[in-house]
């Protein structure tokens, strides 16, 4: 993951392939990167400039009638580092071009209207990067594990989600779905740290313990989610997340790869540049 | 504006006082700061850490039932640097806590529903920082200068805006209104630069020339806007903007002052910390 590597080379190990077992993912590993934390942040910062320029091109594209946009979906167990990815990776680009949205428990109205209703409303507009901290995938995760719907009902969501994402992708959205893979041991440390620090108490929710006790059920739910919804137009990336710096570095590379693939130039002028220059200096 | 100065000391020259003339503001000056560009950015970066922490406190407050929030309104002539303030100042804090919104020409529906309708819908939720790139103030600026409404109608907007902002402030919103004061000479350079650089063409709008030719009319409109709508609960700040670094530095200090004034601590735990620690390590 030196600065001359192509991001698709360095990120390819993290792209989900059917048949793989989530249990085989080593959450503490840093495959493809030789350095440590300091070197990782240095690469991230260095690539931030390109990330920022490509985001501006996307924004410019949207401001001049283009329809392309990008949606980053973040999933993972509590404390997996979703918020940190937003702050440290997404935070490197212009906030004007970013729409962040977190999805907690749905309201009564949101439940009534179907689980994709609030998701559709939160999709990024042209030229924007949308970021979902949790998403429609909770409908096959917490809903499944906590038995909030009968099995036949949540099972139907896989196809519904694939149809929905195919439609969203066809409308010009590059979809990047990232699952941050955390180990139970690292989660214990992070939850303990939240309890130890009064400035972190607001991030702690006793309900997190409930989910922690269902770890194996969540692993099974994630496994099936990955197998059923990693499609060509909306692939999943599974990123080892026990080391925050590594997860941030990899998500940065994945985003960079997605933006590079859009291959957007600067929009051409839709006015006569020479004439405007005359009018400007003459007026 | 050294790092030990209180931000209310360094920002006070920019707080609008009735009776002042906008024509007397020197857009190229850097009052209160001895250093140059490099020193300015160094102070901004240094204060970024506190800005970021105070923003996180505000966010935490919103996530635990608090109602406080902050609205930053940016106004100024084309190329005054509103976008740069968003990128370089607002960009220092966590994007999850920020909602940016630009206001262009209203749609037919937006016009039908009254000029404050789309503004109300874009107000930040609890714990968030909302940023308006242009705003409801266009209703007493472009609408006035281009004669889009009869005088009696746009004149009524001053009181409507004051009533609206008083209501918004009473609901827990700290309102920070910044006018970036640019000189016509500097605008000429910036517009010329946009014409010279193909990567900036998308930012150039031939309509900007139209507004430029009405400079004096805009100055009069801004003057009256400042005099009529700079209130105790929603004061205007007029910031010299010919030097981008200085405008960014000052807006950063103003935001810092506003967040400090909120005086928010970290929300206390609403659970029994010791019990959770037992459950966590025992489970």
């Amino acid at each position: 993951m030196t600065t001359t590597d192509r991001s698709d080379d360095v990120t390819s190990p993290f792209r989900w392939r059917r048949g793989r077992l989530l249990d085989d993912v080593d959450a503490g590993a840093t495959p493809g990167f030789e350095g440590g934390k300091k070197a990782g942040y240095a690469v991230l910062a260095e690539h931030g400039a390109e990330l920022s320029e490509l985001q501006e091109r996307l924004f410019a594209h949207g401001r001049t009638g283009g329809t392309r946009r990008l949606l980053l979906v973040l999933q993972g167990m509590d404390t997996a580092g979703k918020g940190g990815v937003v702050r440290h990776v997404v935070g490197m680009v212009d906030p004007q071009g970013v729409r962040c949205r977190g999805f907690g428990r749905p309201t009564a109205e949101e439940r009534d209207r179907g689980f994709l209703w609030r998701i559709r409303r939160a999709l990024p507009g042209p030229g924007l990067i949308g970021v979902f901290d949790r998403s429609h995938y909770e409908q096959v995760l917490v809903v499944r594990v906590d038995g909030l719907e009968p099995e036949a009902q949540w099972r139907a969501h896989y196809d519904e989600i694939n149809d929905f994402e195919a439609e969203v992708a066809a409308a010009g959205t590059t979809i990047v779905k990232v699952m941050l893979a955390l180990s139970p041991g690292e989660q214990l440390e992070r939850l303990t740290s939240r309890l130890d620090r009064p400035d972190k108490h607001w991030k702690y929710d006793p309900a997190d313990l409930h989910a922690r006790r269902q770890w194996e059920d969540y692993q099974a739910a994630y496994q099936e989610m990955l197998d059923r919804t990693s499609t060509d137009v909306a692939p999943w990336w599974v990123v080892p997340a026990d080391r925050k710096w590594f997860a941030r570095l990899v998500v940065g590379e994945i985003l960079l790869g997605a933006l590079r693939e859009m291959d957007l130039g600067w929009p051409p002028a839709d006015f006569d540049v020479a004439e405007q220059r005359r009018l400007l200096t003459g007026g």
Side-chain angles (χ1 to χ4, degrees), chain A:
Chain A
M1 212 166 302
T2 66
T3 57
T4 50
D5 285 340
R6 287 163 47 92
S7 61
D8 53 344
D9 291 336
V10 298
T11 58
S12 64
F14 308 109
R15 182 152 170 165
W16 189 253
R17 280 172 187 80
R18 237 163 273 197
R20 229 176 129 192
L21 290 180
L22 186 55
D23 280 338
D24 290 341
V25 173
D26 179 357
T30 62
F33 192 70
E34 311 252 302
K37 180 173 171 176
K38 200 173 157 189
Y41 278 125
V43 173
L44 180 63
E46 195 179 329
H47 288 191
E50 186 184 351
L51 197 66
S52 190
E53 185 188 317
L54 294 180
Q55 177 273 324
E56 194 180 346
R57 284 183 193 227
L58 176 60
F59 189 74
H61 168 86
R63 290 288 286 269
T64 51
T67 58
R68 310 286 300 274
R69 60 204 89 179
L70 191 150
L71 175 64
L72 173 64
V73 172
L74 295 170
Q75 287 287 162
M77 298 296 282
D78 298 308
T79 77
K82 302 180 288 293
V85 162
V86 179
R87 179 186 278 265
H88 296 277
V89 183
V90 179
M92 293 195 300
V93 309
D94 190 342
Q96 286 164 101
V98 172
R99 296 290 177 277
C100 295
R101 178 69 199 273
F103 291 97
R105 202 164 301 162
T107 63
E109 187 192 15
E110 287 170 346
R111 261 195 310 270
D112 274 0
R113 290 176 179 262
F115 75 103
L116 291 174
W117 180 70
R118 63 174 180 166
I119 301 295
R120 280 185 192 277
R121 284 163 55 99
L123 289 171
L128 299 178
I129 295 180
V131 181
F132 287 178
D133 180 343
R134 302 187 186 272
S135 66
H136 42 302
Y137 284 99
E138 291 298 329
Q139 211 71 14
V140 291
L141 295 169
V142 64
V143 167
R144 167 184 175 153
V145 172
D146 276 352
L148 305 179
E149 286 181 1
E151 178 163 352
Q153 197 175 335
W154 61 252
R155 280 210 172 274
H157 297 326
Y158 295 119
D159 287 340
E160 289 162 12
I161 288 173
N162 287 337
D163 290 347
F164 165 69
E165 291 181 352
E167 174 202 327
V168 168
T173 308
T174 296
I175 303 176
V176 175
K177 301 185 295 195
V178 172
M179 185 221 163
L180 297 173
L182 188 73
S183 70
E186 178 64 20
Q187 191 197 45
L188 178 62
E189 294 215 4
R190 294 186 186 177
L191 288 173
T192 304
S193 158
R194 286 187 180 177
L195 288 173
D196 288 345
R197 293 178 52 180
D199 63 329
K200 300 284 181 198
H201 283 167
W202 67 278
K203 288 188 174 186
Y204 185 91
D205 181 346
D208 296 350
L209 265 190
H210 173 66
R212 177 171 167 77
R213 288 181 174 138
Q214 298 160 304
W215 197 275
E216 290 309 317
D217 294 339
Y218 271 104
Q219 283 286 103
Y222 273 112
Q223 175 79 48
E224 190 162 359
M225 172 196 87
L226 293 168
D227 291 337
R228 297 285 307 268
T229 65
S230 202
T231 61
D232 286 341
V233 294
W236 274 104
W237 305 80
V238 177
V239 177
D242 276 8
R243 297 170 200 242
K244 290 176 183 173
W245 65 266
F246 185 70
R248 292 167 188 172
L249 173 61
V250 172
V251 177
E253 297 297 310
I254 293 170
L255 276 181
L256 196 53
L259 285 164
R260 281 178 184 158
E261 209 162 281
M262 287 187 181
D263 197 24
L264 296 171
W266 292 107
D270 59 355
F271 49 85
D272 181 332
V273 176
E275 183 196 9
Q276 289 299 314
R277 206 178 274 123
R278 271 195 309 277
L279 288 169
L280 183 58
T281 48

